[in-house]
Structure formats: C-alpha cells, structure tokens
Amino acid sequence: MTHDFEARAAELLDAGAHGYFAGGAGDELTLRDNEASWGRVALTPRVLVDVAHRDTSVTLLGRERAHPFLVAPTAYQLEAHQDGETGTARAAAATGSIMVLSSQTTTDPREVAAAVGTADRWFQLYVYRDRGLSHDLVAAAREGGYEALVITVDFPFGGRRERTERSGFTLSHPPFVDGLAGPLSLAERHAMHDPTLTWDDIAAFGEASGLPVVLKGILHPADAARAVDAGVAGIVVSNHGGRQLDTVLSGADALGPVVEAVDGRIDVLVDGGIRRGWDAAKALALGADAVLVGRPVLWGLACEGAAGAQQALEQLVEEFDETLGLLGCPRARDLDGSYVTRRPS
Ligand SMILES: Cc1cc2nc3c(=O)[nH]c(=O)nc-3n(C[C@H](O)[C@H](O)[C@H](O)COP(=O)(O)O)c2cc1C
C-alpha cells in the first residue's frame, strides 16, 4: 500500500535523504495543503449506470494513453535506492505510465532510455546560468528518444528548505549534469539555476530540442493564457510539491481557473498531493488531461526499488479504475464538473 511505503521509507532512508525527499519549503503549509486540498473536493456519484467495463484511457499530446498517470520528475533517485532512475523508468514502462526524467538525474538520460526500449518518456529541463549545461541536457534527451521537453518554470532559485538546511544533507551520487563540478551543497546546486529566465527564452529551447514543450509550475490563469500564446503543447499546474514558496495555492485549488483560461487549447496536467486513484479522478473532473505523481513513486522505489515503484503506480491505476466504476462514470474521458462538488468549509 502506498501509505505503508511512505512509513517504511521514513525508517529505511537516512534522516538527511528522507528529509530531502519528504520536505517542503518554509513551514510546509503548502506541502500539507497539497494533500488536504484534494480532500476538499467531494465526488458526487451517479447510480444505475452499467459499469461492468471501464475505460481509463486519456489523450495526451495527441496520443492515446492507457491511463492518466505520469511519473513526476524527481531529482537524485540513486539517493533513494540503487535502482535509481532506471528502476523508476522500468516501473513506468511496466505500467504504461510516462516517465518524466529530471534534469537532476543521477543516471545518464541515454542509459535510462536504453533500459526501457520504446516506452514513453519525457524529459524535464532546468535552465541553468550556464546555458551550455541545459543545451547538453537537451542533446542527451534527443539522443535518448525523449518525446517531450518539460521546462520547469517555478525554480529561478531554490525555495527555503529548512529540513535540508538543518540536516546538512549532501549527495553521495553525483548528478549527471554537474557531476564534474565537484562536491556542492544543495544550496550551491540550486544557485546554478538561471533566475533571468523569461517567456522570451522558451521558444528557443523548443526549437533546439525539436520536441513539444510543456511548461511545469504554472498556478496563475494569466500565465496559463500566456503559455497558450507562447505556443507550448501543455502546462503542468504545480507548486513543485510544496518545495518552493510556502503558502502558495495547491494544484487542486489552482486547476479550475487555469482550465478556464486555457479553454481546451492546450493540454493541462496537474500535480501535488495526488495519493489515491480518486484524487486523479477529481483532477480530471476539474478539467485536467492527466496527473503527475512524485513522492508515492519515490517511497515505492526507496522500499523495494523498481518493484516498489511499479506497485505504487499499479495501485493508483487500479484505484482510478475502481473510482470510475463506483462513480458511475465508466469512461475517464467523460469525467466532468458534474462529478465533483466543493465541500462546504
Ligand atoms: C524529492 C523531490 C525532487 C524533485 N525534483 C524535481 C526536479 O528535479 N524537477 C522538477 O521539475 N520537479 C521536481 N520535483 C517536483 C515534482 O516534479 C512534483 O511537482 C511534485 O513532487 C508533485 O507533488 P507530490 O510529490 O506531492 O506528488 C521534485 C519533488 C520532490 C519531492
């Protein structure tokens, strides 16, 4: 069970690594609200619908996918388990989930790709002050056959991560991108990000990669509309797992206005606090096309390597399928606002 993995990972991992994976920014109000906010959305089931057969498939970037779950990009996976990014990619491949590989991967993106053959994979890009590093990553992503470039736009520099500051957590596995740069603290690594990145830079990365671009880290509807104008293929409504600015709104709360602003012109994905299949059903009912899951996959990986990550994803897909049945909406594509309501606060 996903929650069992979470508890076991807290025991298995050393305190520094666990604090890095689990923690959020500041007082972690947003971190907690990410999970709580899905609970504030109530499902409103319909009855006497034939749900003997359910269809969990969705369309994303123009292609049919078996279900709406993607693996969110998370850094430094060899710190969680020796299977690392390759293990997560194998778990994603086994469950028909798209793996989004982080720029801060501890395994060469081409090696990760080679381990999973033709399975769907996207690449997440951080733009560093040294733009050459980012261009090297884009080149590796192209060589590795990654199908989309997810540019993270909510990280001009790192948020105030007090758990990692307190523990003094340092990496024991060098990241692929700056492995040659020697032993750096997390704060030093975070300072490598380019705080001057603006909308004017996005198109160039799209052109250099030749890949569809998805912007990750949008919360404001005006930015969502601007992303449509910028010509990207999709956006991820995300607050970076509560790790950047504390007290920002959750993906669940930001989603509705963003969906309205986008008005079906590009794909909208959402992440943050999705722990159960029914959370994903709520996201789709609120207008998302797909969802990303971060920590649940990391906890599975930490406990049992690739097999644990796979189990976490399988459970989410199973729960999503069951939700469609118990909600009286046998096709994921038919989920809409009529299946959810806000709980009175
Ligand atoms: C340990 C950890 C590392 C992360 N590293 C990255 C990263 O390298 N790039 C990125 O765009 N987002 C990163 N994120 C954010 C995730 O992609 C995602 O937005 C978030 O984890 C979703 O929330 P959840 O963990 O509650 O599912 C990271 C999150 C965690 C927990």
Side-chain angles (χ1 to χ4, degrees):
M1 297 290 281
T2 307
H3 291 307
D4 298 338
F5 280 146
E6 182 172 4
R8 265 173 59 206
E11 289 166 11
L12 280 171
L13 292 168
D14 70 64
H18 179 260
Y20 170 73
F21 289 127
D27 298 316
E28 301 187 337
L29 296 181
T30 293
L31 176 70
R32 287 192 286 280
D33 193 48
N34 277 352
E35 287 188 36
S37 59
W38 293 111
R40 292 196 294 270
V41 181
L43 288 163
T44 47
R46 308 298 303 272
V47 296
L48 297 175
V49 178
D50 178 352
V51 294
H53 301 285
R54 275 105 43 203
D55 175 2
T56 57
S57 69
V58 297
T59 301
L60 196 57
L61 298 195
R63 283 185 46 199
E64 180 158 337
R65 320 279 171 169
H67 58 73
F69 295 95
L70 289 83
V71 177
T74 54
Y76 315 138
Q77 292 180 11
L78 280 173
E79 303 289 339
H81 190 275
Q82 66 201 15
D83 286 357
E85 287 84 3
T86 305
T88 305
R90 291 209 314 268
T95 55
S97 317
I98 297 171
M99 157 93 165
V100 188
L101 183 68
S102 166
S103 269
Q104 300 283 37
T105 174
T106 37
T107 313
D108 186 322
R110 291 157 289 208
E111 209 179 298
V112 176
V116 294
T118 57
D120 289 341
R121 49 188 175 267
W122 294 3
F123 190 82
Q124 177 265 325
L125 185 72
Y126 278 135
V127 178
Y128 298 102
R129 288 172 193 270
D130 177 353
R131 296 280 174 110
L133 286 179
S134 295
H135 284 292
D136 290 350
L137 280 167
V138 170
R142 281 187 60 138
E143 281 173 37
Y146 291 77
E147 298 144 52
L149 193 66
V150 179
I151 305 180
T152 298
V153 293
D154 60 7
F155 207 114
F157 47 83
R160 186 163 280 274
R161 312 262 179 91
E162 296 184 358
R163 285 204 218 190
T164 33
E165 274 169 37
R166 260 185 239 118
S167 73
F169 172 62
T170 51
L171 299 177
S172 33
H173 300 273
F176 167 75
V177 67
D178 52 359
L180 297 177
L184 299 174
S185 69
L186 272 189
E188 284 167 326
R189 288 183 193 286
H190 288 169
M192 292 168 67
H193 292 236
D194 188 349
T196 71
L197 185 72
T198 68
W199 289 98
D200 296 339
D201 300 302
I202 297 301
F205 282 102
E207 280 159 27
S209 68
L211 300 174
V213 169
V214 174
L215 296 184
K216 174 171 180 285
I218 303 276
L219 292 172
H220 201 295
D223 278 345
R226 187 125 189 220
V228 175
D229 294 341
V232 300
I235 55 175
V236 183
V237 178
S238 172
N239 59 31
H240 212 104
R243 296 161 75 80
Q244 284 296 86
L245 180 58
D246 197 18
T247 75
V248 302
L249 78 176
S250 69
D253 286 337
L255 184 58
V258 164
V259 165
E260 207 173 300
V262 166
D263 196 22
R265 291 175 291 172
I266 56 174
D267 286 349
V268 177
L269 298 86
V270 66
D271 75 15
I274 291 173
R275 297 291 174 267
R276 293 291 202 164
W278 41 93
D279 296 334
K282 293 175 192 182
L284 267 58
L286 292 169
D289 296 290
V291 302
L292 287 77
V293 199
R295 292 181 184 83
V297 178
L298 284 175
W299 303 143
L301 181 73
C303 292
E304 290 176 20
Q310 179 173 335
Q311 212 180 308
L313 287 163
E314 276 167 357
Q315 185 183 328
L316 286 164
V317 175
E318 255 171 49
E319 287 175 353
F320 180 69
D321 174 70
E322 285 163 19
T323 302
L324 295 182
L326 295 173
L327 195 55
C329 178
R331 280 165 38 98
R333 289 165 205 278
D334 293 336
L335 285 167
D336 63 21
S338 69
Y339 292 97
V340 285
T341 184
R342 289 268 157 197
R343 278 185 210 285
S345 50

